[in-house]
Amino acid sequence: MHIQYTDLPEPKSLPEGATLEYATQDQDCRSLERFAIRTLNAGMHTPEIIDESRESFWIIISGEGTMTRGDETTPIRPRDLIITPPGVPHSLTAGDTPVKWFDVAFHSATWEIAAEALEDGVGDSHGDHVKGKPSLVRGEELPPQEGDSCYRYPHARPHSTLDHWDQNSSEPGARAANHVHDSHEEFWYIHEGSGHVEQNGQIFEVSAGDLIGHAPGVHHTLIAEKEPIRWYCFCMNRWLMPLVKDALVEA
């Protein structure tokens, strides 16, 4: 899967802001159901949202405001990761400047089939530093994205459809993330810069705004050449694949 930013339509204008949807359906990678970049104008608020079948992940790109989930209201800032379980009403209010964020969700079949497994906890944790089921991970607590680096947002993977969200930085001449996954899909979003991606020996150009999916068994790597690349890496909880792979094939 390679969705190029230059092929996307203009962002859809809404009364409170704008949204840019990536067409993740009918792709060779099926686990990702929603990937969008949304903008909320200063002083505006989104309608209240309730998604009964998906866990949603919002990652703040820029701007500040407040996030309301149920009866709880929390300030949000750039780089924050906000995790909202299915069935929880949530909305966002922008402050004095517009708020821009990623809106990510995995296939609804995942939660429908694996809800009990996620409640009990499935797979390995990312580490003992993650306590409970955090619903907000502060980006300001992560190191700055510099040089050749990879920083993983800490969250409770055994209880979430999100396996990981990494922020990455590659300098010119670097060859990053040179690996293959046997059973799960992985996605890369190019945030800044340009370079090349190699999949099983096939090389193609990527640039800011592109979304790339890597199917199981596909060896992949990112090559930074003339300029630095800032990019994000994420995937659905790999421990859920034995439970949901048949449903994803049929989706």
Side-chain angles (χ1 to χ4, degrees):
M1 182 180 88
H2 180 201
I3 301 176
Q4 295 178 278
Y5 179 78
T6 53
D7 291 338
L8 295 175
E10 291 293 319
K12 181 180 179 181
S13 181
L14 301 172
E16 67 275 8
T19 182
L20 178 62
E21 296 273 0
Y22 284 67
T24 57
Q25 293 77 26
D26 301 322
Q27 300 281 346
D28 58 346
C29 293
R30 299 297 186 92
S31 60
L32 183 64
E33 190 161 70
R34 184 173 69 237
F35 187 91
I37 299 175
R38 307 195 189 280
T39 303
L40 183 65
N41 295 333
M44 300 295 289
H45 62 271
T46 66
E48 185 176 79
I49 302 164
I50 303 177
D51 195 334
E52 297 291 352
S53 60
R54 298 169 191 83
E55 188 179 26
S56 68
F57 306 94
W58 289 6
I59 300 94
I60 306 301
I61 301 171
S62 60
E64 297 185 359
T66 56
M67 180 79 178
T68 299
R69 285 174 297 182
D71 297 329
E72 180 184 7
T73 298
T74 308
I76 52 95
R77 308 178 187 91
R79 299 168 70 198
D80 285 356
L81 167 61
I82 305 155
I83 304 172
T84 305
V88 175
H90 54 286
S91 62
L92 191 152
T93 301
D96 296 333
T97 58
V99 176
K100 189 175 183 179
W101 73 98
F102 297 108
D103 180 4
V104 179
F106 297 104
H107 202 282
S108 56
T110 304
W111 193 272
E112 292 165 0
I113 294 171
E116 185 175 345
L118 288 167
E119 180 63 28
D120 295 338
V122 57
D124 296 332
S125 174
H126 284 306
D128 295 336
H129 59 291
V130 181
K131 305 298 183 184
K133 302 177 186 179
S135 59
L136 173 64
V137 179
R138 289 294 186 192
E140 64 188 15
E141 298 174 0
L142 298 174
Q145 195 173 342
E146 299 175 346
D148 293 322
S149 58
C150 175
Y151 302 119
R152 179 159 292 181
Y153 278 66
H155 71 285
R157 176 172 68 181
H159 301 284
S160 175
T161 54
L162 178 67
D163 190 277
H164 61 264
W165 179 280
D166 294 349
Q167 60 174 32
N168 301 273
S169 175
S170 297
E171 293 298 297
R175 187 180 182 93
N178 193 10
H179 63 287
V180 62
H181 303 292
D182 293 333
S183 62
H184 67 276
E185 301 165 347
E186 185 174 76
F187 301 92
W188 293 350
Y189 175 82
I190 310 299
H191 191 50
E192 297 176 1
S194 62
H196 290 83
V197 164
E198 181 177 329
Q199 291 182 333
N200 282 353
Q202 180 183 1
I203 299 176
F204 52 91
E205 295 183 2
V206 296
S207 57
D210 287 6
L211 178 66
I212 304 104
H214 308 291
V218 173
H219 189 277
H220 48 281
T221 186
L222 177 69
I223 306 159
E225 295 182 345
K226 297 180 180 180
E227 60 180 336
I229 297 180
R230 307 291 181 261
W231 50 291
Y232 298 105
C233 169
F234 63 99
C235 70
M236 191 186 79
N237 189 338
R238 66 193 71 184
W239 301 97
L240 298 176
M241 286 306 298
L243 300 176
V244 303
K245 62 180 181 179
D246 291 341
L248 294 179
V249 170
E250 296 170 0

